[in-house]
PDB file of all heavy atoms in Angstrom:
ATOM      1  N   THR A 306     -49.199  -1.700 -32.398  1.00 98.00           N
ATOM      2  CA  THR A 306     -48.415  -2.377 -31.348  1.00 98.00           C
ATOM      3  C   THR A 306     -47.488  -1.481 -30.523  1.00 98.00           C
ATOM      4  O   THR A 306     -47.031  -1.913 -29.471  1.00 98.00           O
ATOM      5  CB  THR A 306     -47.547  -3.510 -31.973  1.00 98.00           C
ATOM      6  OG1 THR A 306     -46.568  -2.898 -32.824  1.00 98.00           O
ATOM      7  CG2 THR A 306     -48.375  -4.495 -32.780  1.00 98.00           C
ATOM      8  N   SER A 307     -47.162  -0.285 -30.987  1.00 98.00           N
ATOM      9  CA  SER A 307     -46.162   0.490 -30.231  1.00 98.00           C
ATOM     10  C   SER A 307     -46.810   1.222 -29.055  1.00 98.00           C
ATOM     11  O   SER A 307     -47.758   1.986 -29.240  1.00 98.00           O
ATOM     12  CB  SER A 307     -45.476   1.510 -31.147  1.00 98.00           C
ATOM     13  OG  SER A 307     -44.588   2.286 -30.378  1.00 98.00           O
ATOM     14  N   PRO A 308     -46.278   1.024 -27.830  1.00 98.00           N
ATOM     15  CA  PRO A 308     -46.838   1.738 -26.676  1.00 98.00           C
ATOM     16  C   PRO A 308     -46.567   3.240 -26.749  1.00 98.00           C
ATOM     17  O   PRO A 308     -47.169   4.012 -26.000  1.00 98.00           O
ATOM     18  CB  PRO A 308     -46.109   1.108 -25.480  1.00 98.00           C
ATOM     19  CG  PRO A 308     -44.872   0.505 -26.047  1.00 98.00           C
ATOM     20  CD  PRO A 308     -45.181   0.123 -27.466  1.00 98.00           C
ATOM     21  N   TYR A 309     -45.660   3.631 -27.642  1.00 98.00           N
ATOM     22  CA  TYR A 309     -45.334   5.063 -27.756  1.00 98.00           C
ATOM     23  C   TYR A 309     -46.164   5.769 -28.827  1.00 98.00           C
ATOM     24  O   TYR A 309     -45.980   6.954 -29.072  1.00 98.00           O
ATOM     25  CB  TYR A 309     -43.846   5.250 -28.081  1.00 98.00           C
ATOM     26  CG  TYR A 309     -42.920   4.657 -27.050  1.00 98.00           C
ATOM     27  CD1 TYR A 309     -41.646   4.214 -27.399  1.00 98.00           C
ATOM     28  CD2 TYR A 309     -43.302   4.531 -25.713  1.00 98.00           C
ATOM     29  CE1 TYR A 309     -40.792   3.668 -26.461  1.00 98.00           C
ATOM     30  CE2 TYR A 309     -42.451   3.980 -24.769  1.00 98.00           C
ATOM     31  CZ  TYR A 309     -41.206   3.550 -25.151  1.00 98.00           C
ATOM     32  OH  TYR A 309     -40.363   3.012 -24.224  1.00 98.00           O
ATOM     33  N   TYR A 310     -47.042   5.015 -29.495  1.00 98.00           N
ATOM     34  CA  TYR A 310     -47.800   5.637 -30.593  1.00 98.00           C
ATOM     35  C   TYR A 310     -48.740   6.738 -30.096  1.00 98.00           C
ATOM     36  O   TYR A 310     -48.783   7.831 -30.661  1.00 98.00           O
ATOM     37  CB  TYR A 310     -48.571   4.572 -31.388  1.00 98.00           C
ATOM     38  CG  TYR A 310     -49.251   5.145 -32.610  1.00 98.00           C
ATOM     39  CD1 TYR A 310     -48.506   5.594 -33.698  1.00 98.00           C
ATOM     40  CD2 TYR A 310     -50.640   5.263 -32.665  1.00 98.00           C
ATOM     41  CE1 TYR A 310     -49.127   6.148 -34.817  1.00 98.00           C
ATOM     42  CE2 TYR A 310     -51.262   5.809 -33.785  1.00 98.00           C
ATOM     43  CZ  TYR A 310     -50.509   6.250 -34.856  1.00 98.00           C
ATOM     44  OH  TYR A 310     -51.117   6.802 -35.950  1.00 98.00           O
ATOM     45  N   ARG A 311     -49.469   6.439 -29.011  1.00 98.00           N
ATOM     46  CA  ARG A 311     -50.417   7.437 -28.491  1.00 98.00           C
ATOM     47  C   ARG A 311     -49.687   8.720 -28.028  1.00 98.00           C
ATOM     48  O   ARG A 311     -50.056   9.823 -28.430  1.00 98.00           O
ATOM     49  CB  ARG A 311     -51.259   6.829 -27.369  1.00 98.00           C
ATOM     50  CG  ARG A 311     -52.348   7.722 -26.860  1.00 98.00           C
ATOM     51  CD  ARG A 311     -53.519   6.972 -26.282  1.00 98.00           C
ATOM     52  NE  ARG A 311     -54.312   6.297 -27.298  1.00 98.00           N
ATOM     53  CZ  ARG A 311     -55.175   6.928 -28.091  1.00 98.00           C
ATOM     54  NH1 ARG A 311     -55.372   8.229 -27.992  1.00 98.00           N
ATOM     55  NH2 ARG A 311     -55.859   6.266 -28.989  1.00 98.00           N
ATOM     56  N   PRO A 312     -48.617   8.560 -27.195  1.00 97.00           N
ATOM     57  CA  PRO A 312     -47.862   9.770 -26.830  1.00 97.00           C
ATOM     58  C   PRO A 312     -47.318  10.521 -28.049  1.00 97.00           C
ATOM     59  O   PRO A 312     -47.260  11.752 -28.052  1.00 97.00           O
ATOM     60  CB  PRO A 312     -46.709   9.246 -25.969  1.00 97.00           C
ATOM     61  CG  PRO A 312     -47.123   7.896 -25.525  1.00 97.00           C
ATOM     62  CD  PRO A 312     -48.163   7.379 -26.475  1.00 97.00           C
ATOM     63  N   TRP A 313     -46.910   9.769 -29.078  1.00 98.00           N
ATOM     64  CA  TRP A 313     -46.428  10.412 -30.315  1.00 98.00           C
ATOM     65  C   TRP A 313     -47.504  11.350 -30.878  1.00 98.00           C
ATOM     66  O   TRP A 313     -47.237  12.504 -31.206  1.00 98.00           O
ATOM     67  CB  TRP A 313     -46.027   9.322 -31.321  1.00 98.00           C
ATOM     68  CG  TRP A 313     -46.013   9.734 -32.770  1.00 98.00           C
ATOM     69  CD1 TRP A 313     -46.938   9.416 -33.711  1.00 98.00           C
ATOM     70  CD2 TRP A 313     -45.028  10.547 -33.433  1.00 98.00           C
ATOM     71  NE1 TRP A 313     -46.598   9.975 -34.920  1.00 98.00           N
ATOM     72  CE2 TRP A 313     -45.435  10.672 -34.783  1.00 98.00           C
ATOM     73  CE3 TRP A 313     -43.857  11.182 -33.029  1.00 98.00           C
ATOM     74  CZ2 TRP A 313     -44.701  11.396 -35.723  1.00 98.00           C
ATOM     75  CZ3 TRP A 313     -43.130  11.916 -33.971  1.00 98.00           C
ATOM     76  CH2 TRP A 313     -43.551  12.012 -35.298  1.00 98.00           C
ATOM     77  N   LEU A 314     -48.731  10.851 -30.944  1.00 98.00           N
ATOM     78  CA  LEU A 314     -49.833  11.668 -31.476  1.00 98.00           C
ATOM     79  C   LEU A 314     -50.104  12.869 -30.564  1.00 98.00           C
ATOM     80  O   LEU A 314     -50.310  13.991 -31.038  1.00 98.00           O
ATOM     81  CB  LEU A 314     -51.123  10.848 -31.602  1.00 98.00           C
ATOM     82  CG  LEU A 314     -51.108   9.622 -32.519  1.00 98.00           C
ATOM     83  CD1 LEU A 314     -52.488   8.970 -32.535  1.00 98.00           C
ATOM     84  CD2 LEU A 314     -50.685   9.979 -33.933  1.00 98.00           C
ATOM     85  N   LYS A 346     -38.323  10.947 -31.770  1.00 98.00           N
ATOM     86  CA  LYS A 346     -39.587  10.415 -31.223  1.00 98.00           C
ATOM     87  C   LYS A 346     -40.210   9.428 -32.209  1.00 98.00           C
ATOM     88  O   LYS A 346     -40.719   8.380 -31.824  1.00 98.00           O
ATOM     89  CB  LYS A 346     -40.575  11.561 -30.952  1.00 98.00           C
ATOM     90  CG  LYS A 346     -40.348  12.230 -29.628  1.00 98.00           C
ATOM     91  CD  LYS A 346     -41.541  13.082 -29.220  1.00 98.00           C
ATOM     92  CE  LYS A 346     -41.802  14.186 -30.204  1.00 98.00           C
ATOM     93  NZ  LYS A 346     -42.819  15.141 -29.737  1.00 98.00           N
ATOM     94  N   ALA A 349     -38.201   6.264 -32.046  1.00 98.00           N
ATOM     95  CA  ALA A 349     -38.442   5.539 -30.789  1.00 98.00           C
ATOM     96  C   ALA A 349     -39.752   4.766 -30.897  1.00 98.00           C
ATOM     97  O   ALA A 349     -39.858   3.604 -30.492  1.00 98.00           O
ATOM     98  CB  ALA A 349     -38.492   6.523 -29.618  1.00 98.00           C
ATOM     99  N   CYS A 350     -40.750   5.424 -31.465  1.00 98.00           N
ATOM    100  CA  CYS A 350     -42.059   4.819 -31.675  1.00 98.00           C
ATOM    101  C   CYS A 350     -41.938   3.610 -32.615  1.00 98.00           C
ATOM    102  O   CYS A 350     -42.525   2.548 -32.379  1.00 98.00           O
ATOM    103  CB  CYS A 350     -42.940   5.906 -32.273  1.00 98.00           C
ATOM    104  SG  CYS A 350     -44.650   5.575 -32.216  1.00 98.00           S
ATOM    105  N   MET A 351     -41.140   3.764 -33.668  1.00 98.00           N
ATOM    106  CA  MET A 351     -40.916   2.662 -34.620  1.00 98.00           C
ATOM    107  C   MET A 351     -40.214   1.489 -33.935  1.00 98.00           C
ATOM    108  O   MET A 351     -40.570   0.331 -34.117  1.00 98.00           O
ATOM    109  CB  MET A 351     -40.019   3.142 -35.769  1.00 98.00           C
ATOM    110  CG  MET A 351     -40.638   4.144 -36.704  1.00 98.00           C
ATOM    111  SD  MET A 351     -39.298   4.917 -37.665  1.00 98.00           S
ATOM    112  CE  MET A 351     -40.198   5.550 -39.068  1.00 98.00           C
ATOM    113  N   ALA A 353     -40.220   0.613 -30.892  1.00 98.00           N
ATOM    114  CA  ALA A 353     -41.054  -0.069 -29.883  1.00 98.00           C
ATOM    115  C   ALA A 353     -42.217  -0.826 -30.515  1.00 98.00           C
ATOM    116  O   ALA A 353     -43.091  -1.329 -29.824  1.00 98.00           O
ATOM    117  CB  ALA A 353     -41.560   0.952 -28.872  1.00 98.00           C
TER     118      ALA A 353
END
Side-chain angles (χ1 to χ4, degrees):
T306 66
S307 176
Y309 301 152
Y310 186 69
R311 186 153 289 283
W313 158 256
L314 299 182
K346 277 196 299 188
C350 196
M351 291 164 159

